Amino acid sequence: MADATIDIVAMGDAIVDVIASCDDEFLKAHDLPKGSMQLLSLEQADKLYAAMGVAREMSGGSAANSMAGIAAMGGRSAFIGQIAEDQLGLIFEHDMHALGVHFDTPPIIGGPPTGRCLILVTPDAQRTMNTAPGASHELHADVLDADLIASASILYLEGYLFGPEKPRAAMMKAIDIAHGAGRQVAFTLSESVCIAGRKERFGQMIDSGGVDLLFANQDEALQLTGRADVESALTELRAKVPTLVITKGPDGAIAIENGERISIPAAPVGYVVDTTGAGDLFAAGFLTARCKGASLERCLWTGAIAAGEVIQHYGARPITDLKALVKL
């Protein structure tokens, strides 16, 4: 097996986040459950955007955020995701390149616009996410760079993209390429809403050995397994994946691997501003540390420190020197 020239290559939604503050009354007026994530049609997204207050635009997408975090920690990362030939697509492409993330998926012309996520942040730092995937769900297996995937130590996949048929087929092809090259595959369930309607396919992929490292939060683990308590869910999942990582928000995280179980508390933070991207940066820290040969506990702590940084400001990308923070 050839040495890896990239640490992690990810596949996921290519999304531009549009972030604005709001109060609870705004969420109620637009029938948006606080802290939830829902998919919007392009028409619904236009209507909600028109009603939002002053907003900040920045590139997002779960796996793309993780790759940005990895680059910020000194890791070598690449991203595969579909944009359109429009202004938001140019913003996304520019931001990825500026952050040092390899990104060269050609934009589509004449199809749906680049995806956007309208994120509403309430004073308690909870974020309510409203996503119009647009072009991101047009990702096709034909655009995959097999050499790029085979050159990375880890292929990282996000649950948001696993539902639609085209990108799901692309993901399954990427898994075959990665495993054929002797690489590992990591998968994040992304959000509990992604499991509805996809549970059987998720299960089939995991049962078939498609996933070497699974990231999930407690709610996602319960939904995926159908268990009533977290410990039962962990018991089931640890038998199916070599490495299992469960995040618990302010209660820290757990990793189980080769019979070893490590638990850590959350990293101490000052003031929580916006929880957008916490899971994405946790995965970024964990994967970066793993590629540098760190222990399981060190991987968890690196993830916790990275997540702690991103929740202290608006947006899902780091703004302080993560490399100095995590000290890898």
Side-chain angles (χ1 to χ4, degrees):
M1 181 176 66
D3 290 340
T5 56
I6 293 175
D7 292 324
I8 298 103
V9 58
M11 292 177 64
D13 280 336
I15 297 283
V16 175
D17 290 340
V18 182
I19 306 174
S21 300
C22 76
D23 55 23
D24 288 354
E25 291 305 313
F26 183 92
L27 297 181
K28 291 176 183 175
H30 292 272
D31 195 26
L32 302 172
K34 183 195 281 194
S36 65
M37 196 289 280
Q38 44 268 325
L39 296 177
L40 303 181
S41 67
L42 295 175
E43 294 76 16
Q44 290 171 321
D46 287 341
K47 183 177 179 181
L48 180 59
Y49 178 65
M52 290 169 64
V54 176
R56 307 165 182 84
E57 291 182 350
M58 55 192 75
S59 298
S62 175
N65 291 336
S66 297
M67 295 309 100
I70 287 166
M73 284 178 268
R76 301 164 297 174
S77 62
F79 180 73
I80 300 168
Q82 189 63 65
I83 56 174
E85 193 175 49
D86 56 18
Q87 183 61 32
L88 290 183
L90 288 173
I91 290 172
F92 185 90
E93 182 179 24
H94 169 269
D95 287 353
M96 296 303 277
H97 291 164
L99 290 164
V101 179
H102 178 92
F103 173 66
D104 62 2
T105 308
I108 56 172
I109 301 170
T114 297
R116 55 183 158 154
C117 182
L118 308 179
I119 301 175
L120 297 160
V121 183
T122 41
D124 58 1
Q126 286 295 307
R127 85 283 189 271
T128 303
M129 302 169 66
N130 309 276
T131 304
S136 66
H137 283 185
E138 297 299 313
L139 182 67
H140 197 281
D142 290 347
V143 305
L144 296 183
D145 183 338
D147 290 338
L148 176 68
I149 294 168
S151 71
S153 292
I154 298 172
L155 170 67
Y156 180 63
L157 308 174
E158 68 168 63
Y160 288 122
L161 201 61
F162 193 76
E165 184 177 349
K166 283 183 194 174
R168 184 173 68 251
M171 283 187 166
M172 299 309 292
K173 180 178 178 180
I175 289 173
D176 288 342
I177 294 169
H179 279 162
R183 310 304 188 186
Q184 288 201 320
V185 175
F187 193 95
T188 175
L189 291 178
S190 298
E191 182 77 30
S192 56
V193 70
C194 294
I195 298 173
R198 308 177 189 182
K199 182 176 176 179
E200 183 177 352
R201 290 193 181 100
F202 276 144
Q204 289 171 348
M205 178 179 61
I206 292 170
D207 290 345
S208 67
V211 177
D212 304 297
L213 196 168
L214 180 66
F215 291 97
N217 64 30
Q218 295 180 99
D219 290 340
E220 292 158 1
L222 290 173
Q223 288 198 39
L224 182 61
T225 61
R227 300 286 184 172
D229 64 278
V230 174
E231 285 302 319
S232 296
L234 295 184
T235 299
E236 178 175 332
L237 291 173
R238 68 187 295 182
K240 298 179 177 181
V241 293
T243 306
L244 176 64
V245 181
I246 302 293
T247 55
K248 303 190 294 177
D251 295 323
I254 299 170
I256 303 174
E257 180 179 69
N258 296 326
E260 180 184 21
R261 175 170 174 157
I262 303 290
S263 298
I264 65 161
V269 298
Y271 185 72
V272 178
V273 174
D274 173 16
T275 55
T276 307
D280 304 335
L281 267 294
F282 182 94
F286 188 99
L287 292 172
T288 302
R290 167 135 296 202
C291 286
K292 292 184 181 297
S295 68
L296 191 60
E297 183 174 9
R298 186 71 173 91
C299 291
L300 283 174
W301 272 115
T302 307
I305 292 167
E309 187 279 337
V310 81
I311 64 176
Q312 295 183 78
H313 58 77
Y314 280 108
R317 303 278 172 91
I319 62 173
T320 57
D321 187 352
L322 263 190
K323 195 172 184 180
L325 260 184
V326 300
K327 296 181 175 65
L328 282 173

